[in-house]
Amino acid sequence: METKKENIIDKYLNTKKKKIIAGCVAGVLVIGCAGAVIYSTSSSKELVLASDEVKAEFGQRVSTNVADYLDANKSGDVDKIIKDTKEKDDLKYVTVTNKDENGNVVSKEEKDYPKVGNYEISFTYKKEKATVKVTVKDTIKPEIEAPESIDVIQYTDFSTFNFGELLKATDYSDVKDWKIDTSKVDVNTIGSYELKVSIQDKYKNKATKKLTVNVVEAPAVAEGEVAVTEVVTDENGNKKTVVTKKASSEVSKNDAVASTSPVSNKGTVNSSSSASATKPTTNSGTSKPSGNNTSSSNSSNSSSSSSKGDEHKHNYNIPITKTVHHEAVTKVVHHDAVTRQETYTVVDKEAYDEPVYETHIVCKVCGKDFGKYGGADADDHSCDTGHSYHSTKVQVGTKHHDAVTHQETKTVVVTPAYDETVVVKQAYDETVITGYKCSCGATK
């Protein structure tokens, strides 16, 4: 009986031990879970980006400011993060070389937009690090500036025509040569035709433009002159063609001298873009990550500041310009007299008629002429009339003598010699860069 009671007591005690042990284990688990919660809370991220990828178009500025990438709803103290975050990137920026009208380098300018390529921007805050992958591509075609129509002289050879003087292409990338589709233009027949020009950049972005070509009759020219199609700049700075005539000695390499006979049209010709390609002076905007959770609390103050802190880093990317007027360049051209040789007759002795005489027997009274041998008749006449006669010279005719002449040559002036003042280069206004300034107003 006693043994049975002991077993019951042991069973009770064992059950109680188990409950105590279970309670202790549960207490340990609760404490452990609390510790896990506390640990998890202490290790939560404060530097949270809205996006870890940026796709930019070539020519756009890529922000390196952490304020433009933060997810304000998931990050910690945004103001503190913006202030204390350090930034590092491998962005390579574009450098543009500025040249004067003679092709001399006057300055080199680093733009505020990166080259085409793949980059990384790293942000470090305390022990946290976040990386943004940046992809810069060029997908935009060049912009073409060209006249709506041009005039060219009939029989102009388009294979040598300097289209590059008339056209202008603007693109952030380098461009290739112009492609001129002349297949619809009949330069041998006066009329209006459609011409298509195209150009593409190094990333195969292609732009095209159509313009009208008016094939006109060549102006009449004098000796020593030729008809040309000349490219000029009007008072508004626009390029256009002028059909004119020039002295042969004044024709420049950019003038298109028309032929006097039909020429072959090859369909498509190339023209250099070296003198007509330009790059935009400013960027096309700022590329930022997409999304609606990026921080805006400090965007107005941080947009112009470095991602390394509140210190402003000057970016001298705004050109300072002035307009310089260039007077026309002229020179005096002497034109020799235009002459020709003429042959004429000189009379040394005028033509004349010489009288021819014979000795005849003539009556002194009545003047009757008895001829050279009429002596017997003269005797009979004298016996009959009592007239006397005598021998005398009588004109019986004339002998013609032609004029005596010889030939001489003389020089005849067709056009007198003269001096002409010709314009070598038209007057124009040029916008020149005198320096650069930062968006904050600082200059250099």
Side-chain angles (χ1 to χ4, degrees):
M1 186 74 177
E2 216 172 283
T3 304
K4 189 175 181 180
K5 286 181 180 178
E6 287 176 357
N7 291 335
I8 293 171
I9 290 170
D10 288 340
K11 184 177 180 181
Y12 170 78
L13 291 173
N14 287 337
T15 303
K16 190 174 182 181
K17 284 180 183 178
K18 289 178 181 178
K19 288 182 179 179
I20 292 170
I21 291 170
C24 292
V25 172
V28 171
L29 288 174
V30 170
I31 294 171
C33 291
V37 171
I38 292 170
Y39 176 79
S40 176
T41 302
S42 64
S43 62
S44 63
K45 295 184 67 174
E46 294 185 75
L47 179 62
V48 181
L49 304 184
S51 175
D52 61 356
E53 184 179 12
V54 171
K55 294 182 178 180
E57 182 65 36
F58 185 43
Q60 286 185 317
R61 177 180 174 271
V62 175
S63 174
T64 57
N65 196 317
V66 70
D68 293 324
Y69 297 89
L70 283 177
D71 188 328
N73 296 327
K74 296 181 181 179
S75 297
D77 187 340
V78 173
D79 290 342
K80 182 171 175 51
I81 293 174
I82 292 174
K83 180 179 179 182
D84 295 340
T85 295
K86 295 181 180 180
E87 181 270 341
K88 185 178 181 180
D89 62 74
D90 59 355
L91 296 172
K92 294 180 176 62
Y93 292 93
V94 173
T95 299
V96 175
T97 300
N98 299 308
K99 298 181 180 181
D100 60 20
E101 59 184 7
N102 297 319
N104 300 316
V105 177
V106 295
S107 65
K108 289 187 177 181
E109 173 189 1
E110 184 179 271
K111 296 294 186 179
D112 60 351
Y113 52 86
K115 301 177 181 178
V116 172
N118 298 314
Y119 307 96
E120 286 188 352
I121 303 174
S122 298
F123 298 110
T124 304
Y125 175 68
K126 296 181 179 178
K127 294 184 178 181
E128 295 182 40
K129 184 176 181 179
T131 301
V132 177
K133 294 186 179 297
V134 178
T135 302
V136 180
K137 294 184 177 181
D138 185 352
T139 63
I140 298 177
K141 62 186 180 182
E143 292 184 5
I144 296 177
E145 184 178 329
E148 293 298 323
S149 65
I150 62 173
D151 295 342
V152 298
I153 299 175
Q154 186 181 21
Y155 306 135
T156 295
D157 186 355
F158 273 167
S159 66
T160 59
F161 192 86
N162 190 3
F163 284 99
E165 285 290 310
L166 279 170
L167 308 173
K168 180 180 178 182
T170 303
D171 196 86
Y172 286 99
S173 299
D174 293 334
V175 297
K176 299 182 180 180
D177 285 344
W178 291 97
K179 299 291 184 183
I180 316 297
D181 182 1
T182 65
S183 59
K184 295 183 179 181
V185 182
D186 182 2
V187 294
N188 301 316
T189 305
I190 293 174
S192 296
Y193 305 91
E194 180 184 276
L195 180 79
K196 185 169 73 173
V197 300
S198 63
I199 195 167
Q200 70 175 17
D201 60 26
K202 64 184 292 185
Y203 298 104
K204 298 184 179 180
N205 301 303
K206 184 179 180 181
T208 61
K209 187 177 179 67
K210 294 179 180 179
L211 54 148
T212 301
V213 174
N214 302 310
V215 179
V216 301
E217 186 178 3
V221 296
E223 187 175 350
E225 292 181 328
V226 292
V228 298
T229 301
E230 181 181 15
V231 178
V232 299
T233 304
D234 64 18
E235 62 276 6
N236 297 318
N238 300 317
K239 297 284 189 178
K240 65 178 183 179
T241 58
V242 175
V243 172
T244 184
K245 55 186 178 181
K246 288 185 175 181
S248 299
S249 59
E250 295 304 311
V251 175
S252 73
K253 64 179 181 180
N254 293 327
D255 294 331
V257 180
S259 173
T260 56
S261 58
V263 295
S264 173
N265 190 345
K266 297 182 180 179
T268 301
V269 296
N270 295 338
S271 186
S272 174
S273 63
S274 59
S276 58
T278 61
K279 298 184 184 299
T281 55
T282 58
N283 64 48
S284 61
T286 301
S287 177
K288 297 180 182 179
S290 59
N292 299 322
N293 296 325
T294 54
S295 170
S296 61
S297 61
N298 276 359
S299 61
S300 61
N301 294 326
S302 61
S303 61
S304 63
S305 63
S306 168
S307 60
K308 296 181 181 180
D310 292 332
E311 179 185 358
H312 174 70
K313 181 180 178 181
H314 293 305
N315 189 1
Y316 297 101
N317 65 333
I318 304 174
I320 302 172
T321 63
K322 70 175 182 178
T323 300
V324 178
H325 178 72
H326 298 268
E327 298 291 347
V329 178
T330 63
K331 69 177 181 179
V332 176
V333 178
H334 177 73
H335 298 270
D336 291 330
V338 178
T339 63
R340 69 170 182 267
Q341 298 296 311
E342 288 187 357
T343 302
Y344 65 99
T345 301
V346 177
V347 177
D348 299 317
K349 186 176 182 180
E350 297 291 345
Y352 67 97
D353 291 331
E354 178 185 7
V356 177
Y357 295 95
E358 289 182 352
T359 302
H360 287 195
I361 298 172
V362 179
C363 179
K364 291 183 180 181
V365 178
C366 64
K368 184 176 181 179
D369 187 349
F370 296 101
K372 292 173 63 176
Y373 308 106
D377 293 333
D379 288 339
D380 293 339
H381 177 72
S382 178
C383 289
D384 293 337
T385 61
H387 295 171
S388 61
Y389 58 88
H390 67 129
S391 296
T392 186
K393 287 185 176 182
V394 176
Q395 183 177 349
V396 295
T398 59
K399 181 180 181 181
H400 180 74
H401 296 271
D402 291 329
V404 179
T405 63
H406 69 272
Q407 300 295 310
E408 290 187 1
T409 301
K410 65 179 179 179
T411 300
V412 178
V413 177
V414 178
T415 303
Y418 65 98
D419 290 333
E420 178 188 14
T421 300
V422 297
V423 177
V424 178
K425 190 173 185 180
Q426 298 287 343
Y428 67 98
D429 290 332
E430 177 189 17
T431 300
V432 298
I433 298 174
T434 59
Y436 295 89
K437 66 180 180 181
C438 178
S439 58
C440 70
T443 61
K444 73 171 183 178

